[in-house]
């Protein structure tokens, strides 16, 4: 993979995909970060979208991705983000976002198949990338119409905008990931407490 220059204090770890949000559609949304002062695009090129499909376990090999495909994936991702945020605020959806989501959700999605040995789940599709995006859209439709919507949280770290499902029993999870933002923010708080002392 070609090395890219990262703006500000963005590390290569920050550029890693978030694949533990609790929902496929939120994993896709997490490929963009709108942080104060820095925007993080985890799909900067066509190969990055292909790598996300592979790393997400949705496809066994990287699909061919054109610039038009990348633009379409980014548009779907943005629409899902806006719809989720409006739903969380109990606002009114923008009709164009609903239409875009529904258009993608109506397309053929990934087809689950059992491997020959019966041990693995394999996803199959005639048009792999389109099927991935259709699956993302269908997951978003399901999320937006479910009770799980009330469990969506935004990471409490000041420089992180990742949305995730809080599946904790008390419903008080604050970080997108303890190994990422949780530990980092706890270390910062510890340093600040001891700096004052």
């Amino acid at each position: 993979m070609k090395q890219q220059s990262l703006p500000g204090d963005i590390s290569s770890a920050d550029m890693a995909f978030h694949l533990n949000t609790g929902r496929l559609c939120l994993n896709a949304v997490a490929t963009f970060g709108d942080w104060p002062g820095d925007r993080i695009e985890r799909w900067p090129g066509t190969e990055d979208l292909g790598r996300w499909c592979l790393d997400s376990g949705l496809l066994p090999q990287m699909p061919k991705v054109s610039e038009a495909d990348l633009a379409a994936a980014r548009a779907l991702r943005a629409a899902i983000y806006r719809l989720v945020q409006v739903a969380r605020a109990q606002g009114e959806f923008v009709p164009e976002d609903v239409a875009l989501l529904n258009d993608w959700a109506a397309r053929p999605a990934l087809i689950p198949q059992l491997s020959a040995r019966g041990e693995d789940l394999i996803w199959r599709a005639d048009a792999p990338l389109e099927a991935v995006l259709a699956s993302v859209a269908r997951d978003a439709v399901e999320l937006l119409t479910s009770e799980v919507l009330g469990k969506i949280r935004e990471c409490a770290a000041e420089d992180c905008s990742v949305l995730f499902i809080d599946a904790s029993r008390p419903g008080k999870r604050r970080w997108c990931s303890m190994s990422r933002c949780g530990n980092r923010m706890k270390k910062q708080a510890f340093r600040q407490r001891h700096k004052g002392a």
Side-chain angles (χ1 to χ4, degrees):
M1 188 174 101
K2 135 180 104 171
Q3 186 67 26
Q4 61 185 37
S5 60
L6 304 176
D9 294 328
I10 300 170
S11 70
S12 57
D14 291 329
M15 290 298 292
F17 297 134
H18 290 263
L19 300 173
N20 59 351
T21 66
R23 293 302 289 239
L24 173 60
C25 63
L26 296 182
N27 287 350
V29 167
T31 61
F32 183 80
D34 192 2
W35 297 0
D38 287 313
R39 286 182 168 229
I40 296 182
E41 176 57 80
R42 295 182 180 95
W43 290 342
T46 56
E47 69 282 352
D48 301 291
L49 173 55
R51 189 169 48 85
W52 181 82
C53 294
L54 185 64
D55 290 357
S56 297
L58 300 172
L59 297 176
Q61 57 191 25
M62 282 182 51
K64 291 180 181 178
V65 181
S66 69
E67 289 294 335
D69 293 332
L70 179 59
R74 287 176 175 172
L76 174 62
R77 175 186 67 185
I80 292 170
Y81 175 77
R82 289 189 297 265
L83 289 165
V84 168
Q85 292 294 52
V86 167
R88 290 178 68 213
Q90 297 180 340
E92 300 233 357
F93 292 146
V94 173
E96 292 81 7
D97 288 341
V98 174
L100 180 64
L101 181 66
N102 285 338
D103 176 60
W104 276 105
R107 299 180 192 199
L110 293 167
I111 302 166
Q113 301 281 284
L114 187 64
S115 70
R117 293 177 52 147
E119 297 171 350
D120 298 310
L121 170 67
I122 301 167
W123 295 102
R124 189 182 65 74
D126 293 331
L129 182 61
E130 181 181 45
V132 165
L133 297 179
S135 297
V136 168
R138 288 180 184 197
D139 184 61
V141 169
E142 184 181 318
L143 175 62
L144 288 163
T145 57
S146 74
E147 293 179 9
V148 178
L149 186 63
K151 296 182 178 186
I152 298 175
R153 306 283 183 266
E154 186 167 343
C155 185
E158 292 176 3
D159 58 354
C160 183
S161 60
V162 170
L163 299 172
F164 61 89
I165 303 298
D166 180 2
S168 66
R169 185 163 289 196
K172 295 183 179 179
R173 182 176 153 196
R174 298 185 62 208
W175 320 110
C176 62
S177 167
M178 267 316 290
S179 62
R180 281 184 177 201
C181 293
N183 285 339
R184 185 169 51 83
M185 296 308 291
K186 287 186 174 191
K187 285 178 185 176
Q188 274 182 10
F190 178 81
R191 283 194 295 269
Q192 287 176 349
R193 281 196 306 271
H194 285 77
K195 193 185 257 187

